[in-house]
Amino acid sequence: MLPLLPQARGNHLLSVLPEDEWTRLAPHLTVVQLPLGHVIYESGDRLDYALFPTTAIVSLLYVMESGSSAEIAIVGNEGVVGIALFMGGETMPSRAIVQSAGAGYKLKREVMREEFSRGGPMQRLLLRYTQALITQMAQTAVCNRHHSIDQQLCRWLLLSLDRLPSNKLRMTQELIANMLGVRRAGVTAAALKLQEAGLIRYHHGSIDVLDRPGLEARACECYAVVKQEFDRLLPNLQAV
């Protein structure tokens, strides 16, 4: 078990909790390392714990019977994996897989439910986060239906950057294709266009974003809609 570091909570939902609530919750949190590609939950799995990412990013994927998949949302240091625990469900409706390696906090199911049932800041934060997550899911569906692969890739890169401490993402084109639900050749062509425009540099599974403003200008409105909703609902504790 890795040591808990209260002075560097790393997760937005945890970092804005009042000190007394954090003190009560901290003994129940376990730090875990999350390697790239690790499957946290499969669709239909019983939820034994909630996961609060700190430096990792988790992708929520819907997997078809054929085995093909498409991303419906990503969760990073702004949120939590396992909202079904406090929304009345027992199982995971989608696959949760580590999109960017890092760490996070595990919180057992019983403790998560007890904390939510207490009401107060934790409950309000979780409900606001859930509303923002639903917006992300809805906008992702719209984007995948109506916008080009180039625009989808820009949206995906920007959402990932918002959840990382640097402008570097470690990600293969094959994994990106699985996330977006498109063919790898489409991702390759889209990434090449962005690289030729000087916006990114792709090399051996690593993507460096060189021009974020340029990436934002090239993205569709879907990224801005999702970001504005998260900023509106989860700015700080005083707004909760």
Side-chain angles (χ1 to χ4, degrees):
M1 182 183 300
L2 297 173
L4 193 63
L5 301 174
Q7 71 276 19
R9 301 177 194 179
N11 179 278
H12 179 79
L13 298 180
L14 298 179
S15 69
V16 297
L17 288 175
E19 198 59 35
D20 58 338
E21 295 205 14
W22 168 254
T23 300
R24 184 180 66 246
L25 194 64
H28 301 286
L29 294 168
T30 303
V31 181
V32 291
Q33 290 294 334
L34 302 166
L36 176 66
H38 172 66
V39 176
I40 299 168
Y41 283 118
E42 285 286 5
S43 177
D45 281 356
R46 181 175 181 268
L47 289 165
D48 294 322
Y49 60 88
L51 176 69
F52 293 85
T54 53
T55 56
I57 298 178
V58 177
S59 177
L60 305 182
L61 299 172
Y62 186 83
V63 183
M64 306 292 288
E65 290 182 357
S66 64
S68 60
S69 62
E71 185 177 79
I72 56 177
I74 63 173
V75 182
N77 56 13
E78 86 297 344
V80 58
V81 177
I83 63 171
L85 283 176
F86 55 85
M87 295 298 289
E90 292 285 342
T91 59
M92 190 72 181
S94 57
R95 174 184 291 171
I97 184 172
V98 179
Q99 166 187 309
S100 181
Y105 292 131
K106 274 186 178 182
L107 183 66
K108 290 183 177 179
R109 175 181 58 195
E110 296 78 10
V111 180
M112 181 67 159
R113 287 179 170 170
E114 180 181 346
E115 286 297 320
F116 184 80
S117 297
R118 287 178 184 270
M122 183 65 158
Q123 184 187 82
R124 292 193 293 273
L125 278 169
L126 291 173
L127 289 175
R128 285 191 170 216
Y129 170 72
T130 300
Q131 182 178 340
L133 184 65
I134 291 172
T135 298
Q136 185 189 162
M137 290 177 173
Q139 204 67 39
T140 297
V142 170
C143 190
N144 290 347
R145 174 65 179 84
H146 293 286
H147 294 142
S148 68
I149 296 177
D150 295 27
Q151 291 173 313
Q152 292 177 48
L153 180 57
C154 289
R155 168 184 56 81
W156 184 86
L157 288 171
L158 290 166
L159 287 174
S160 298
L161 284 180
D162 286 345
R163 291 153 177 81
L164 291 172
S166 71
N167 289 330
K168 181 184 291 288
L169 295 87
R170 295 197 175 278
M171 178 66 56
T172 65
Q173 290 186 0
E174 182 177 0
L175 194 49
I176 296 173
N178 290 336
M179 302 294 182
L180 298 180
V182 299
R183 299 180 62 182
R184 181 176 176 179
V187 173
T188 300
L192 183 60
K193 288 181 183 178
L194 297 182
Q195 183 163 276
E196 289 176 343
L199 303 179
I200 68 170
R201 180 173 59 243
Y202 179 80
H203 183 67
H204 293 312
S206 177
I207 299 175
D208 291 302
V209 175
L210 306 177
D211 182 359
R212 174 161 184 152
L215 205 61
E216 291 181 0
R218 193 147 179 164
C220 52
E221 70 267 25
C222 296
Y223 166 70
V225 170
V226 173
K227 187 176 189 306
Q228 287 168 11
E229 188 70 350
F230 271 89
D231 290 345
R232 181 180 74 85
L233 291 167
L234 297 166
N236 50 56
L237 184 61
Q238 285 68 39
V240 175

